[in-house]
Amino acid sequence: MEKLYFTYNQIHSTMKDLADKLAKDNHKFDAIVTIASGGFIPARILKTYLSLPIYVIYMSLYSDETHQMIESVKNQIPVFSHPDSDITGKNILLLDEIDDTRTTLDICSKFLQNKKPAKLVVASMHNKLVVKSGFIDSSLPYYTGTDVENKWIVYPWELLDINEIK
Ligand code: 5GP
C-alpha cells in the first residue's frame, strides 16, 4: 500500500484546526480521553489549545471461552490506564489519531457511553476516506481534523529515522 507521511508541523496544524472546530461549536470538556499509543501526541497538542487533563485507554486483547487470544482489533477491549479516570457525569472528548475502519472508535465510544458521561464527543485527527465497518452512535457529535486519502499513513513518531520525511 502506498504510504503518506505527515510531519510534526502538519500534525500540530491539523490539531489546531480540530481545536478551532470544537471551539466554534462552543464545546466545553472536563477531559480528553485518548487511545494508546497513537493518540498520545495529538492529545498532548490538543491540550495546548484546550487545557484539559488527558486520560488514556489501552486496547487490550481479550480471550474467548477457550482462553485463546484473538488477534483482531474487533476483539479488543478498552481498559483505562488509571482508576481515577472515572468519567461518569463528566464532559468527555474521545480522541484518536486516525479513524480508518472506525472499529476502534466504535468500541471505545460504546465503552465510554456505558460509563454515563454527561457529554461525549468523538474526534479523530485524521479521517481516512474508506468504507467504514464501525459505527459511532448518531447521537454523538463527531469531529475530524482533516480527511486523508486511502493510503498507509506514516506518523513521525513511528520513524526510526526522522529524516525519512522529505
Ligand atoms: P481503525 O481501523 O479501528 O479505525 O483503526 C485502528 C487503529 O489502527 C488506529 O487508531 C491506528 O492506531 C491504526 N491505524 C489505522 N490506519 C492506520 C494508518 O494508515 N497508519 C497508521 N500509522 N496507523 C493506522
Side-chain angles (χ1 to χ4, degrees):
M1 195 176 192
E2 205 182 328
K3 291 180 180 175
L4 184 59
Y5 290 78
F6 284 97
T7 65
Y8 282 111
N9 282 12
Q10 287 171 319
I11 283 164
H12 205 112
S13 298
T14 301
M15 291 313 296
K16 183 185 184 303
D17 292 345
L18 178 60
D20 288 346
K21 289 177 190 175
L22 293 165
K24 194 163 165 260
D25 287 350
N26 268 316
H27 283 297
K28 298 276 180 284
F29 299 105
D30 297 307
I32 299 166
V33 173
T34 196
I35 306 165
S37 61
F40 286 176
I41 294 171
R44 178 59 189 85
I45 297 168
L46 198 60
K47 181 183 166 167
T48 298
Y49 298 103
L50 304 185
S51 300
L52 294 168
I54 300 171
Y55 298 161
V56 176
I57 292 177
Y58 287 88
M59 296 296 279
S60 168
L61 285 171
Y62 72 80
S63 48
D64 62 13
E65 314 80 67
T66 63
H67 301 290
Q68 282 188 316
M69 297 303 280
I70 307 166
E71 302 277 338
S72 150
V73 176
K74 275 197 182 124
N75 295 304
Q76 290 185 332
I77 48 166
V79 283
F80 263 123
S81 57
H82 195 274
D84 283 348
S85 301
D86 183 4
I87 63 153
T88 306
K90 290 185 179 160
N91 298 316
I92 297 297
L93 176 66
L94 171 63
L95 171 73
D96 204 4
E97 90 278 38
I98 184 162
D99 170 0
D100 191 337
T101 66
R102 199 162 281 174
T103 310
T104 303
L105 286 175
D106 179 335
I107 294 169
C108 291
S109 57
K110 288 190 174 75
F111 171 74
L112 295 179
Q113 273 183 304
N114 284 336
K115 294 187 177 291
K116 307 265 181 282
K119 177 170 84 173
L120 180 61
V121 172
V122 181
S124 63
M125 173 173 67
H126 289 144
N127 173 47
K128 199 182 280 190
L129 296 171
V130 290
V131 176
K132 306 295 181 184
S133 50
F135 299 93
I136 296 167
D137 193 307
S138 58
S139 68
L140 302 178
Y142 177 55
Y143 291 83
T144 192
T146 190
D147 292 335
V148 293
E149 294 172 71
N150 184 15
K151 293 181 178 168
W152 184 255
I153 308 302
V154 181
Y155 291 107
W157 51 83
E158 298 170 336
L159 295 173
L160 293 177
D161 178 5
I162 193 65
N163 297 314
E164 211 179 295
I165 307 179
K166 298 294 169 228

